[in-house]
Amino acid sequence: MTVIPGGSRSRLDPEATPRRDWLGLTALWSMVSALSFGFLGALRLPKAAVVAAPSKSFKIAIPEALAAGEALVPQGHAAAVFRDEEGVYAISTICTHLGCVVKPNAEGFECPCHGSRFDKTGGVVKGPAPRALPWLQVRLSGDEAQIDEGKTVPGGTKVKSA
Amino acid sequence: MTSAMTEFFGNLRAAPRRILEAAFRGGAPTTDRTRSTFIFGNVFLHLHSVRVHRWTLRWPATMGLGIATTAAFLITLVTGVLLMFYYKPYPEAAYQSIKDIHFVVPTGRFMRNIHRWAANVMVVCVLLHMARAFYTASYRKPREFNWLVGMGLLSLTLGLSFTGYLLPWDQLAYWAVTIGANIAQSPREITDALEITEWFDPGGFQRALLLGSEIVGEEALIRFYLLHVMVLPLALVFLMTIHFWRIRKDGGLARPDDVDQRLGPPEGEVYPVFTQAPEKTYQLAAIVRGRTPAVGSGPENTVPSMPHLFYAELGVMMFTTLVCVALAIVSDAPLKELANPSVPENPAKAPWYFLGLQELVSFSAFTGGIGIPAIVLLGLGLIPFLDRESAGTGRWFGGPGGWPLVQRALLVGFGAALAVEALVIRFGWIREWFPAVGQLVVTAINPGTILTLIYGAYSVWLVKRHNSARAGALGLFTCFLCGFLVLTIIGTYFRGPNWVFYWSPADWPKH
């Protein structure tokens, strides 16, 4: 503690920042930042790098009897497959609102969870869904369609067998 | 030789008494002095103060809601540990193990019922406890920080309930958690509309962190299990310890200024320690900023916590246990069919205390699930820092306006919530009128935000009218409480399949 001659500072007043305190504070904050970075690094663990999920691609035979605009919903998949004169197409049945599975009906699709309604092309007509239902990639080989739930295509893309 | 043997047998006879004495050094709590040592000599009890103000012991001061919440937590802790003996956190196995607990394990169904009911009681009590602290203006200086800790405890309580909801792996659990995980993802509603999701995707990150996968599957179940049995309870105990200890350090529960006149002289059998107010507390003067709570506050009007406070606390705990056990006897915890990812439960409903939120997310996922809850939490957290007044502390509905203001706020709160809901149910909302409207418009202008704006405007008007932040807070808190009640009741009783409004479940279509 230095006493400044003529200064009004008392012995008990705190000094601005003595050098030793400054070094101490630097050491302390180095420790705090090292620990925080270490902790943040440890938090990287819960964010999985590889996600184990079942394959999203599946094959389905399209029956001759499937009428134009009639939905074919394969068991265990979140997609509805349609066929009309212009070709085959598939629309995802996962609601864009909160992920419930929508059900095809005469006017389009309806969601059981919060009442979103979609038209035949997947566009939103009613309710809280923020986006249209995405269209899925379809590949045809004969009567069999291969549909990939992980790949979306622009709405209106219909596939005809060559 | 004989004397050593005599001494040995004497010591042997005395051993049980001495073990007891070694554990509880103060002796039986029969005098004020030993009553004090009973408390400060015990690591758990010394979270309490040694003496408690007579005002605090009056029934209407707290209604025992904090202790009831604690008791409910302890009950879930004990029953939860018991359930862990048989529960297997893996899809299908989880469902089968809950079935085993329900039908095979001795007392299994009873324990699971108690666990479930105690969790519900805990949520109810923690909400009522918060309302009590708010309406008696107990959050004010020096208790601001404890109010914040309390909000942390409220969030953890809801988090514990929500994570517990997935564990049975039935239809109810699966779809409630699917919805919950997608609410975590709902910031995408905005990033998608702005077309920046590719670069900035907090929603997707939150969902991935919660589920550990793209779907609600085995990774999600083990994460929820870990949170439910380990992370959240530990965090809760940590915060509870601070919460209790802070009550003592903040000078006991909030009391009115004129508490001594209100209480009158103590009845017989009660011995006030200090009859004169101490002018200074010398020991603490050097280390404590300002005056300690005991200085200058007149005759203390306190009684020893042992037995007065402890017997009251034990009474509340016994009563809470009674309620949980009685409910567990009357009503079984639900268990639906095994989770089926391709067929949603219809209607898929979250636990009742989230149904108000579910009603809000049925207007917009982001606004209802994240936006409005964040505004509410932020608003609640700011209350003690915006209301720096002192009138009415420690009294029910204390402060400018008082009970008449709260009555009017109840009218406004219920009226606005019912009116907005009625309009939406009757006429629909923007999307039905203009299907092409952008999502950002629906996110910003929907029944939830309209209701929040009405409440906010009313509260600003109250601040001006009474020239008091407390008046505005009273109005706003009451309004949001009304909104919560109305939305929760509509979500619980009046929403059927496809979230359509029905007057009664009897009108639901058969399917």
Side-chain angles (χ1 to χ4, degrees), chain B residues 18 22-23 41 59 77 103 113 149 243 258 272 394 397 419 443 475 495:
Chain B
R18 285 186 179 147
W59 166 248
L77 206 66
F103 293 109
N113 290 349
V149 175
H243 201 60
D258 54 349
F397 311 110
T443 303
R495 291 293 185 178

Side-chain angles (χ1 to χ4, degrees), chain A residues 46 56 97-98 115 130-131, chain B residues 182 192 214 223 358 361 439 498:
Chain A
K56 294 193 157 186
H97 178 227
L98 292 175
R131 279 171 292 117
Chain B
N182 282 299
D192 274 349
E214 289 172 27
R223 276 174 193 222
Q358 203 172 336
V361 298
Q439 179 56 34
N498 298 353

Side-chain angles (χ1 to χ4, degrees), chain B residues 228-294:
Chain B
H228 188 74
V229 305
M230 189 81 163
V231 179
L232 297 181
L234 273 180
L236 194 87
V237 169
F238 180 72
L239 283 191
M240 266 165 100
T241 313
I242 299 176
H243 201 60
F244 296 161
W245 186 72
R246 268 279 179 156
I247 298 173
R248 176 184 170 180
K249 291 289 146 181
D250 294 342
L253 299 190
R255 299 179 288 277
D257 294 335
D258 54 349
V259 63
D260 293 331
Q261 286 85 14
R262 282 166 177 274
L263 274 176
E267 292 157 30
E269 298 294 309
V270 167
Y271 315 102
V273 214
F274 303 115
T275 45
Q276 297 291 311
E279 298 293 318
K280 289 172 184 152
T281 52
Y282 292 101
Q283 308 93 307
L284 295 174
I287 49 168
V288 176
R289 189 191 290 270
R291 301 191 308 171
T292 59

Side-chain angles (χ1 to χ4, degrees), chain A residues 9 32 47 55 60 65 83 90-91 97 100 113-114 120 129 142 162:
Chain A
R9 194 199 290 232
V32 169
K47 173 88 169 63
S55 167
I60 182 172
R83 180 171 58 193
I91 297 178
H97 178 227
C100 293
C113 290
H114 300 98
K120 290 236 160 230

Side-chain angles (χ1 to χ4, degrees), chain B residues 249-498:
Chain B
K249 291 289 146 181
D250 294 342
L253 299 190
R255 299 179 288 277
D257 294 335
D258 54 349
V259 63
D260 293 331
Q261 286 85 14
R262 282 166 177 274
L263 274 176
E267 292 157 30
E269 298 294 309
V270 167
Y271 315 102
V273 214
F274 303 115
T275 45
Q276 297 291 311
E279 298 293 318
K280 289 172 184 152
T281 52
Y282 292 101
Q283 308 93 307
L284 295 174
I287 49 168
V288 176
R289 189 191 290 270
R291 301 191 308 171
T292 59
V295 179
S297 53
E300 268 200 348
N301 237 333
T302 58
V303 291
S305 296
M306 170 72 209
H308 297 275
L309 177 61
F310 285 145
Y311 283 15
E313 288 181 347
L314 286 177
V316 173
M317 285 187 169
M318 287 310 290
F319 181 71
T320 313
T321 315
L322 174 78
V323 169
C324 294
V325 169
L327 286 168
I329 291 172
V330 173
S331 158
D332 275 351
L335 186 65
K336 303 244 172 169
E337 312 87 75
L338 178 67
N340 179 353
S342 12
V343 183
E345 184 77 1
N346 190 2
K349 291 198 178 185
W352 62 266
Y353 35 84
F354 284 130
L355 286 182
L357 280 186
Q358 203 172 336
E359 180 70 17
L360 284 179
V361 298
S362 79
F363 309 130
S364 152
F366 177 75
T367 309
I370 293 186
I372 293 179
I375 290 173
V376 169
L377 278 182
L378 192 73
L380 283 174
L382 279 176
I383 286 177
F385 303 98
L386 300 181
D387 168 17
R388 308 299 287 180
E389 297 159 24
S390 57
T393 303
R395 280 188 290 122
W396 275 92
F397 311 110
W403 173 233
L405 182 152
V406 174
Q407 279 175 309
R408 283 194 298 278
L410 282 171
L411 271 180
V412 173
F414 279 124
L418 287 172
V420 168
E421 276 287 331
L423 280 176
V424 180
I425 288 164
R426 179 73 185 79
F427 298 110
W429 199 249
I430 299 178
R431 182 80 72 200
E432 281 128 273
W433 309 330
F434 315 104
V437 78
Q439 179 56 34
L440 283 180
V441 178
V442 181
T443 303
I445 307 173
N446 64 55
T449 54
I450 301 270
L451 200 59
T452 310
L453 274 182
I454 294 176
Y455 289 165
Y458 175 63
S459 134
V460 169
W461 179 78
L462 281 176
V463 172
K464 283 188 181 160
R465 171 142 182 323
H466 292 273
N467 197 22
S468 150
R470 168 69 175 166
L474 273 175
L476 197 61
F477 189 90
T478 311
C479 280
F480 270 104
L481 216 56
C482 296
F484 175 78
L485 276 178
V486 168
L487 294 175
T488 305
I489 288 170
I490 289 178
T492 310
Y493 294 109
F494 297 102
R495 291 293 185 178
N498 298 353

